[in-house]
């Protein structure tokens, strides 16, 4: 499969050309097309439909060895954008830790003694060193710890993920399991495999695998445009942020089983809980990096 010729902007979200996400020339216009006002009060009122897609299965050498069927739930065209938008904004909002905190003048140490006399100094009168007007004093209306998390129904979140994956079938390929092909970590070999699959290492790609071996993880971690996901780390943002999706055959079976019509909801869903924890940890790391750069 030939790689897409248009490279996405690093700070933009790439959307796939399909009946649900219509491609537009620039990244900014894609965002304007997607993030516009929708009636999200009843996003799931219409019936859920099945999105059936036949994908080519490639070998490690890049030759087609068969096909795979991806049969997932998909929201109707009139509500698909609203469902995916709600799922994405919920994930991004829940990554905010809300741990920023400042001290008010009542919490700053010191300031019990009047700094200097009331009169005959030539300065404005001061009653405490904790005043916000002095360096080291309290902060007026500063941030305090806050819970930014919002809730979303589990079925709606799953429908958002399956809808996004279903809409990307034109830019999706399936590859046979290749864990055993990497006997030792080698980034050059992983890049060569990507090129055989028709992937451009300079474009964003997302791999979904049942399990990621240590050699594969070490071989791919230095590729900045690549994301390696497992069922426990699958999230909506990385799906939408990729130009190409690559699934292993085991991942396709997981998607059909988990996001198909035959899926039976389990109250003790370990994948959902761990995915939320991973997203929260990523949000904490992102805030830590932003603080260190200021």
């Amino acid at each position: 499969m030939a790689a897409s010729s248009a490279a996405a902007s690093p700070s933009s979200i790439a959307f796939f050309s399909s009946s649900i996400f219509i491609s537009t020339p620039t990244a900014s216009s894609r965002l304007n097309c997607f993030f516009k006002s929708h009636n999200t009060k009843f996003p799931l009122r219409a019936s859920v439909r099945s999105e059936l897609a036949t994908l080519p299965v490639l070998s490690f050498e890049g030759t087609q060895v068969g096909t795979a069927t991806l049969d997932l739930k998909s929201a109707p065209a009139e509500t698909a954008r609203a469902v995916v938008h709600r799922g994405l904004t919920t994930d991004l909002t829940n990554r905010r830790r809300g741990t920023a905190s400042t001290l008010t003048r009542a919490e700053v140490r010191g300031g019990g003694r009047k700094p200097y006399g009331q009169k005959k100094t030539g300065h404005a009168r001061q009653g405490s060193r904790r005043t916000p007007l002095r360096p080291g004093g309290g902060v007026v209306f500063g941030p305090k710890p806050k819970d930014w998390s919002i809730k979303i129904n589990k079925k709606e979140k799953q429908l958002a993920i399956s809808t996004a994956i279903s809409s990307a079938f034109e830019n999706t390929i399936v590859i046979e399991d290749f864990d055993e092909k990497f006997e030792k970590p080698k980034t050059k070999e992983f890049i060569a495999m990507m090129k055989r699959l028709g992937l451009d290492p300079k474009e964003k790609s997302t791999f979904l695998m049942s399990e990621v071996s240590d050699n594969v993880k070490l071989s791919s971690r230095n590729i900045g445009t690549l994301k390696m996901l497992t069922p426990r780390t699958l999230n909506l943002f990385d799906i939408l942020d990729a130009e190409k999706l690559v699934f292993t055959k085991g991942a396709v079976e997981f998607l059909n089983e988990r996001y198909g019509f035959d899926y039976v909801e389990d109250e003790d869903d370990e994948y959902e809980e761990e995915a939320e924890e991973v997203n929260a940890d990523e949000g904490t790391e992102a805030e830590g990096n932003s603080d260190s750069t200021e």
Side-chain angles (χ1 to χ4, degrees):
M1 178 179 295
S4 175
S5 58
S9 173
S11 61
S12 65
I13 298 179
F15 295 98
F16 306 100
S17 56
S18 69
S19 59
I20 299 177
F21 301 105
I22 303 174
S23 61
T24 50
T26 61
S28 59
S29 59
R30 284 198 298 267
L31 289 173
N32 293 334
C33 177
F34 186 77
F35 291 103
K36 58 184 180 180
S37 61
H38 297 282
N39 182 11
T40 58
K41 188 174 183 180
F42 303 103
L44 300 180
R45 177 170 292 179
S47 59
V48 177
R49 60 195 176 97
S50 174
E51 193 76 20
L52 182 64
T54 302
L55 306 175
V57 179
L58 303 181
S59 64
F60 182 75
E61 289 73 22
T63 58
Q64 184 171 346
V65 294
T67 57
T69 301
L70 194 63
D71 187 11
L72 305 179
K73 294 179 181 179
S74 181
E78 60 271 15
T79 59
R81 289 176 180 270
V83 171
V84 176
H85 177 270
R86 175 168 164 77
L88 180 62
T89 54
T90 301
D91 283 349
L92 296 180
T93 303
N94 289 341
R95 291 185 182 186
R96 300 186 65 174
R97 294 294 84 201
T99 55
S101 181
T102 56
L103 299 180
T104 65
R105 66 178 299 164
E107 298 169 331
V108 176
R109 291 189 61 186
R113 181 173 64 88
K114 189 175 176 65
Y116 48 80
Q118 181 83 351
K119 299 180 181 296
K120 300 181 181 180
T121 62
H123 299 292
R125 55 192 177 187
Q126 296 285 340
S128 173
R129 295 184 182 273
R130 295 185 295 184
T131 172
L133 302 179
R134 296 177 63 92
V139 179
V140 180
F141 303 123
K144 285 294 184 179
K146 178 179 179 180
D147 182 14
W148 290 95
S149 63
I150 56 178
K151 294 183 179 180
I152 184 174
N153 293 335
K154 183 184 297 184
K155 291 183 179 180
E156 187 177 1
K157 182 178 180 180
Q158 292 176 351
L159 183 61
I161 294 177
S162 60
T163 300
I165 295 176
S166 299
S167 66
F169 71 91
E170 293 182 356
N171 295 322
T172 303
I173 60 176
V174 181
I175 184 175
E176 294 181 328
D177 294 331
F178 55 88
D179 285 343
E180 299 179 355
K181 302 294 183 179
F182 290 87
E183 298 180 355
K184 59 180 181 179
K186 197 71 174 179
T187 304
K188 185 182 296 184
E189 293 182 1
F190 197 95
I191 294 178
M193 181 197 70
M194 293 179 62
K195 292 181 178 180
R196 291 195 299 268
L197 298 177
L199 304 176
D200 187 356
K202 295 182 180 179
E203 294 182 350
K204 293 183 178 180
S205 303
T206 296
F207 279 66
L208 177 60
M209 307 174 60
S210 300
E211 291 184 5
V212 181
S213 63
D214 293 337
N215 289 336
V216 173
K217 184 184 299 183
L218 294 175
S219 300
S220 61
R221 68 177 179 178
N222 286 336
I223 305 176
T225 58
L226 182 67
K227 282 281 188 177
M228 300 293 293
L229 303 180
T230 63
R232 288 180 171 82
T233 59
L234 179 63
N235 64 90
L236 187 58
F237 180 83
D238 287 331
I239 295 172
L240 296 176
D241 194 36
E243 292 287 343
K244 296 290 184 179
L245 294 178
V246 181
F247 301 148
T248 60
K249 298 180 69 174
V252 172
E253 294 177 359
F254 164 77
L255 292 174
N256 288 331
E257 179 182 353
R258 178 59 179 277
Y259 298 99
F261 276 89
D262 298 333
Y263 172 68
V264 179
E265 184 179 356
D266 187 4
E267 295 182 357
D268 300 329
D269 199 336
E270 58 177 354
Y271 290 121
E272 290 288 341
E273 295 177 356
E274 294 190 15
E276 292 179 358
E277 292 177 358
V278 169
N279 290 336
D281 293 339
E282 289 181 355
T284 304
E285 293 177 0
E287 288 188 0
N289 295 334
S290 62
D291 293 340
S292 61
T293 57
E294 292 180 356

